[in-house]
Amino acid sequence: DTGIFGIVLNIAVNYVFLFVLFGSILQATGASDLFSNIAFALVGRRPGGPAEVSALSSALMGTLSGSSIANVATTGSFTIPLMKKAGYSGAFAGGVEAAASTGGMIMPPVMGAAALIMSGFLGIPYIKIIVAAIIPALLYYLAIFIIIELRAKKIGLVGIDESELPEIKSVLKNSGHLLLPIFILVYLLVRGYSPTYAATIGIIMTIVVSALKSNTRLSFKKIYNSFYTGAISAIPVSVMCA
């Protein structure tokens, strides 16, 4: 029972797959846009605004996607051109996005496969790994923000004009309810429920909560596509675990 079909692959099937699926369905509701708008509203006006938006949006995306590749594909498509437009070099813009998205793997509550493997392999409750990851994750992103701030001041950049930025109140009013499944997931883990149970309830609650507003409501086709995307995304992780 320690060969290919052993403990690690069992964890991939029972834990990792469900968390990948949870992130995929949450993204289908438009949660990635919510996180991007929150990032713009909070740090867009700062001197390093565009790059800090990249870092913060990637950190927020990391809360629902433990995949650095998916994170880059989701946030990088608009943050890298934004950084280049603001005056950062293409290499620095790509570096910021890559570094920020990689940090998503240690950003609770939905971390990369390694965190879930640690939980199952060592018999440690997943919530303890989440708690242990909070400070390293925050320090990781603090370091990125410091580097961005120093580079912005060095080349004399200014923030995004306030008229172009969304208001945090309107952002939360429009789609803030999409944060609820993440809070429920963390609550269930804190209460001692298994990661499998918490992720399953999180998936169900995402579908239910998304129906509260027409702009986030999931059609049958969207649900099907998000399940399909989640399954495809879980394959490389499962192969690595095997």
Side-chain angles (χ1 to χ4, degrees), residues 66-149:
S67 167
S68 55
I69 298 169
N71 204 325
V72 169
T74 306
T75 60
S77 57
F78 70 88
T79 58
I80 292 173
L82 188 68
M83 284 187 274
K84 289 170 71 176
K85 184 179 177 182
Y88 289 104
S89 69
F92 185 77
V96 167
E97 180 57 44
S101 293
T102 300
M105 292 195 295
I106 57 167
M107 195 69 183
V110 180
M111 295 189 281
L116 290 156
I117 291 170
M118 286 166 64
S119 174
F121 199 82
L122 301 176
I124 299 171
Y126 185 56
I127 187 64
K128 285 192 175 182
I129 294 178
I130 287 177
V131 171
I134 291 172
I135 292 175
L138 293 177
L139 289 174
Y140 182 90
Y141 280 102
L142 176 63
I144 292 176
F145 271 87
I146 290 170
I147 292 166
I148 290 168
E149 194 76 12

Side-chain angles (χ1 to χ4, degrees), residues 2-4 30 45-46 54 79-81 99 138 148 156 165-166 186 193 204 212 224 235:
T2 55
I4 291 176
R45 60 182 61 85
R46 294 177 59 81
S54 170
T79 58
I80 292 173
L138 293 177
I148 290 168
L165 297 173
V186 174
Y193 289 94
I204 294 168
L212 295 176
Y224 172 82
I235 290 173

